[in-house]
Amino acid sequence: MSAQAQMRALLDQLMGTARDGDETRQRVKFTDDRVCKSHLLDCCPHDILAGTRMDLGECTKIHDLALRADYEIASKERDLFFELDAMDHLESFIAECDRRTELAKKRLAETQEEISAEVSAKAEKVHELNEDIGKLLAKAEQLGAEGNVDESQKILMEVEKVRAKKKEAEEEYRNSMPASSFQQQKLRVCEVCSAYLGLHDNDRRLADHFGGKLHLGFIQIREKLDQLRKTVAEKQEKRNQDRLRRREEREREERMGRRSGSRNRDRRRSRSRERRRRRSRSASRERRKSRSRSRERHRRHRSRSRSHSRGHRRGSRDRSSKHKSSRDRSSREKSRDRERKDKSSSERRHESTNGKSRSKRSEEREAGEI
């Protein structure tokens, strides 16, 4: 990879897909199913085992450092739970590796001579010491490359102790079986990367294996798988606790709602009882008032009837007296009218007689004059 490509990859890893405003790169989001979730979590076997004898080639899904940066930024705000997809991917890969290891063990058991359990245990001890020597040498080389010379020297001293134990174990193994069989190369399958290890491999061969990219890559994958399992278990436990807490809160709210409902029903019942009591009290008051009013009206009616009867009797008396007086008055007036009429008729008769007498007198006067 050129320096410019490395710089671009570093910028993508730090700033994500939106670092230079390229909209074409933002069309694929890290949540897309086409994106490798193991790559986002930096545990894809295609990346880890690249360049080894078990190189898996390119992954069928999208690998982009910028998408990994986007995922890291988004995962700080919310839990995306991509660990489950990555765990399934790594479990399938490790299961396939373990299957190859079992097949290799069966193949070795068919090709090599059968030995007793005691000799097999001694050979197993030699293999374990070889693994310890190889791991220590690989660690010492790594520390030396990092510049930590003192720690590297301490590990080399431990290597010498393990070599002495290995020499004793080889002597026990050689003495427990014939020389012809001891000279036969005894192989063992590595439990980590399923590679073949020889019983008589030298320290350089062991250091190259245990410090090699293939073995360390499988160690990284297995450690990442264990970490993902713990993380998924913790998150599932947390989700279960949150779900249980929400269920308890919901049940508590329902209980509180039922209690409040019962309280409200009790309150409504007490209020209705109180209203009924008030209504009954008011009705009784109204009945008492109506009774008192009816009694009062009855009393008033009786008093009015009594006063009316008294007034009626008085009125009848007054009317009779008034009628009598009016009759007397009318009779008196009639008598007066008759008297007036009589007077007027008498006066008219008198006047007529006077007029006739005057007329006669005037006639006689006139006749006399003549």
Side-chain angles (χ1 to χ4, degrees):
M1 184 182 293
S2 63
Q4 186 177 3
Q6 292 178 358
M7 186 64 68
R8 185 179 293 108
L10 182 61
L11 290 174
D12 290 340
Q13 187 175 1
L14 292 175
M15 302 179 65
T17 57
R19 64 177 179 84
D20 54 357
D22 189 2
E23 296 181 355
T24 58
R25 299 188 64 186
Q26 299 180 17
R27 292 176 183 174
V28 179
K29 303 296 183 180
F30 66 90
T31 56
D32 197 325
D33 294 335
R34 295 173 294 175
V35 178
C36 181
K37 303 304 185 292
S38 301
H39 171 72
L40 297 179
L41 293 169
D42 194 17
C43 61
C44 184
H46 295 267
D47 295 336
I48 296 174
L49 300 179
T52 64
R53 66 179 181 84
M54 290 186 64
D55 193 347
L56 302 175
E58 294 184 359
C59 185
T60 57
K61 294 187 176 182
I62 298 174
H63 283 207
D64 193 350
L65 295 175
L67 295 176
R68 183 188 295 175
D70 293 342
Y71 164 73
E72 291 176 355
I73 294 171
S75 61
K76 295 178 181 179
E77 299 178 356
R78 64 184 187 279
D79 189 8
L80 299 171
F81 209 67
F82 285 172
E83 290 83 0
L84 184 60
D85 296 334
M87 185 186 70
D88 293 338
H89 185 198
L90 295 186
E91 280 182 347
S92 62
F93 176 77
I94 294 298
E96 181 65 22
C97 181
D98 293 340
R99 188 182 65 82
R100 289 197 301 267
T101 303
E102 294 298 327
L103 289 175
K105 288 181 179 180
K106 290 181 180 179
R107 194 178 299 115
L108 286 178
E110 293 175 356
T111 56
Q112 292 183 350
E113 294 181 0
E114 294 183 0
I115 56 178
S116 62
E118 182 181 359
V119 175
S120 178
K122 293 180 180 180
E124 186 69 22
K125 186 177 180 180
V126 175
H127 279 295
E128 290 177 357
L129 293 173
N130 281 335
E131 289 183 4
D132 294 339
I133 291 171
K135 292 177 182 178
L136 291 173
L137 287 174
K139 188 175 181 180
E141 290 179 359
Q142 183 179 359
L143 291 174
E146 293 175 356
N148 196 348
V149 181
D150 295 335
E151 293 294 331
S152 178
Q153 291 294 329
K154 291 180 181 179
I155 291 175
L156 290 176
M157 293 174 64
E158 293 180 3
V159 169
E160 293 297 329
K161 295 179 181 178
V162 176
R163 282 175 179 170
K165 294 180 180 179
K166 177 188 174 183
K167 188 175 181 180
E168 294 177 357
E170 286 180 346
E171 289 293 333
E172 292 179 0
Y173 175 64
R174 183 183 296 110
N175 296 329
S176 62
M177 60 185 307
S180 59
S181 299
F182 179 77
Q183 294 298 328
Q184 185 181 2
Q185 180 70 14
K186 295 293 182 180
L187 298 178
R188 184 187 179 190
V189 180
C190 181
E191 299 290 340
V192 177
C193 60
S194 69
Y196 289 104
L197 297 175
L199 183 65
H200 306 297
D201 288 341
N202 55 17
D203 296 342
R204 183 71 265 168
R205 169 75 174 80
L206 295 173
D208 291 340
H209 171 76
F210 290 104
K213 188 176 181 180
L214 178 64
H215 187 82
L216 295 178
F218 271 96
I219 291 176
Q220 182 181 353
I221 292 171
R222 291 179 183 275
E223 290 178 352
K224 188 66 177 180
L225 178 59
D226 295 337
Q227 183 180 356
L228 288 174
R229 285 172 177 170
K230 292 179 181 178
T231 303
V232 169
E234 291 175 357
K235 289 188 175 182
Q236 287 179 348
E237 182 66 22
K238 184 178 179 181
R239 283 192 174 187
N240 293 332
Q241 291 178 358
D242 294 339
R243 192 180 297 110
L244 182 60
R245 186 176 64 254
R246 288 194 297 269
R247 184 184 301 171
E248 291 177 354
E249 291 177 356
R250 187 165 56 253
E251 292 176 354
R252 190 182 303 111
E253 290 176 357
E254 290 177 356
R255 287 195 298 270
M256 293 297 292
R258 288 194 294 269
R259 290 177 183 175
S260 61
S262 62
R263 290 175 183 173
N264 293 330
R265 286 193 297 271
D266 295 337
R267 290 175 183 174
R268 287 195 295 270
R269 290 173 182 173
S270 61
R271 289 173 184 173
S272 62
R273 286 195 295 269
E274 187 66 24
R275 283 196 296 269
R276 287 194 296 271
R277 289 173 185 173
R278 290 176 182 175
R279 289 174 184 173
S280 62
R281 291 173 185 173
S282 60
S284 62
R285 291 195 194 100
E286 291 294 330
R287 285 194 297 271
R288 287 195 296 270
K289 289 180 181 179
S290 62
R291 289 174 183 173
S292 61
R293 288 171 186 171
S294 62
R295 290 172 184 172
E296 187 67 25
R297 284 197 298 268
H298 183 64
R299 290 172 185 172
R300 290 177 183 176
H301 180 69
R302 290 178 63 186
S303 62
R304 286 177 184 175
S305 62
R306 289 175 183 174
S307 61
H308 182 68
S309 61
R310 291 173 184 173
H312 181 67
R313 288 194 294 270
R314 291 175 184 175
S316 61
R317 292 173 185 174
D318 294 337
R319 283 195 297 274
S320 62
S321 61
K322 287 180 182 179
H323 184 63
K324 289 179 180 180
S325 61
S326 62
R327 282 186 296 178
D328 295 337
R329 196 181 298 111
S330 61
S331 63
R332 286 194 296 271
E333 288 177 355
K334 287 179 180 180
S335 63
R336 287 175 186 173
D337 291 337
R338 282 195 297 272
E339 289 177 357
R340 288 192 194 100
K341 287 179 182 179
D342 292 339
K343 286 181 181 180
S344 62
S345 61
S346 64
E347 287 177 357
R348 282 195 297 274
R349 285 194 297 271
H350 182 68
E351 286 177 357
S352 65
T353 55
N354 289 332
K356 289 180 181 180
S357 64
R358 287 191 192 102
S359 63
K360 285 179 180 182
R361 287 175 185 173
S362 64
E363 287 178 357
E364 289 177 356
R365 195 180 292 119
E366 287 177 358
E369 287 176 358
I370 294 168

